[in-house]
Amino acid sequence: MSRFDRYRNAYPNARLTRTPAGVLEVALHTDGGKLVFNGHTHEQFVDLFHDIGSDPDNRVVILTGSGDAFMDAISPDGFDFFTPRGYDKIFREGKKVLMNLLDIEVPLIAALNGPVLLHSEYALLADIVLATPETVFQDKPHFDFGIVPGDGVNLLWPEVVGSIRGRHFILTRQVLDAQTAKEWGAVNEIVPADQLLVRAHDIAASLAALPPLTARYTRIALTQKLRRIVDEGAGYGLALEGISAAEVARNAAQAG
């Protein structure tokens, strides 16, 4: 049994397929449709990305969604923001998921099949970002819940699109269309929906043809700065998010 066989069906919210050339396609989903992010997926994706990064037979990874969105729905199921032990779990998973994405030491392509209204930092840690005309970006749930956006979007949007634009995007819950995101440097190509994965696999095939160490070490070389940014800032941002969540919980309790 290969290493891939041990984890390919281990994750109920990720459909994994791999070509003979080592191009791994990861489609996030809920019951086959678009992903509904919750506390269980928050935990699950930490291990998912660790397994992908630990498999030396993965040569290129394509990360995409299912249905009409990459990620635009969230459920409180499985989250506990409001107790110290509950938030400690979110804190630890929040740090690990970003580093485990960066520890995927082969080229990573984000194929965004629609809106990205939460956890857009996943896409910003990819080396190549493809979007459809229907793709929009926003950081919606943090302020909807009244908490600090401290899970990595606070670090990566200002880094990718510039400090002023990035902070405005977060603070105003700006809806950023695909064309503007491309002009700002957060998207490489806009592709019709029915051609999105075709284009992703075309690029992936060319990268998979590189000598294995060349492809792997190029990803490592290109992400050194992002690794430093995440390592230095993710814990602090998540701690601030936790403090704000405690305040929300206290106010809710006082309101009865």
Side-chain angles (χ1 to χ4, degrees):
M1 176 181 288
S2 71
R3 182 190 290 261
F4 182 53
D5 290 331
R6 290 197 292 271
Y7 69 86
R8 67 187 305 173
N9 296 315
Y11 297 100
N13 295 102
R15 183 174 56 254
L16 276 58
T17 55
R18 191 167 72 190
T19 71
V23 175
L24 176 68
E25 182 183 308
V26 182
L28 307 180
H29 71 93
T30 294
D31 297 329
K34 73 175 181 180
L35 180 73
V36 179
F37 196 86
N38 59 28
H40 306 295
T41 59
H42 194 270
E43 177 180 359
Q44 186 185 137
F45 293 164
V46 174
D47 294 331
L48 168 68
F49 296 141
H50 174 74
D51 274 338
I52 293 170
S54 300
D55 187 344
D57 293 326
N58 292 327
R59 301 284 300 275
V60 182
V61 174
I62 298 170
L63 181 64
T64 190
S66 302
D68 60 2
F70 178 77
M71 203 180 302
D72 71 349
I74 188 167
S75 163
D77 183 39
F79 279 124
D80 176 4
F81 278 90
F82 304 129
T83 69
R85 291 295 177 91
Y87 194 76
D88 174 67
K89 180 174 182 292
I90 294 170
F91 177 81
R92 287 184 287 107
E93 292 171 357
K95 287 195 301 180
K96 284 184 177 179
V97 75
L98 299 181
M99 292 310 294
N100 287 354
L101 268 168
L102 287 167
D103 282 339
I104 296 175
E105 294 178 338
V106 295
L108 176 60
I109 300 169
L112 305 176
N113 54 305
V116 190
L117 306 189
L118 60 148
H119 287 301
S120 52
E121 71 274 14
Y122 289 9
L124 299 183
L125 291 175
D127 305 295
I128 295 170
V129 180
L130 308 179
T132 67
E134 295 76 27
T135 300
V136 295
F137 298 88
Q138 188 184 32
D139 189 66
K140 188 173 188 304
H142 288 105
F143 281 179
D144 282 359
F145 293 141
I147 61 177
V148 172
D151 60 358
V153 291
N154 56 310
L155 303 172
L156 293 168
W157 276 101
E159 169 64 19
V160 170
V161 304
S163 179
I164 295 294
R165 284 171 170 168
R167 283 180 283 161
H168 177 269
F169 170 78
I170 297 291
L171 286 167
T172 65
R173 284 180 269 189
Q174 181 180 8
V175 177
L176 196 64
D177 62 78
Q179 183 59 43
T180 305
K182 182 172 182 288
E183 291 168 3
W184 287 8
V187 165
N188 296 109
E189 298 180 23
I190 300 173
V191 184
D194 62 355
Q195 293 298 305
L196 180 67
L197 288 177
V198 174
R199 178 59 179 150
H201 277 274
D202 282 347
I203 296 171
S206 67
L207 292 169
L210 290 169
L213 292 185
T214 299
R216 180 175 297 274
Y217 290 154
T218 299
R219 159 78 168 167
I220 294 171
L222 288 173
T223 54
Q224 285 304 295
K225 184 180 181 184
L226 293 177
R227 185 177 293 275
R228 288 195 298 272
I229 290 170
V230 169
D231 188 48
E232 290 172 1
Y236 185 61
L238 284 161
L240 297 176
E241 185 173 318
I243 293 169
S244 66
E247 175 77 355
V248 169
R250 187 179 71 98
N251 291 341
Q254 289 177 340

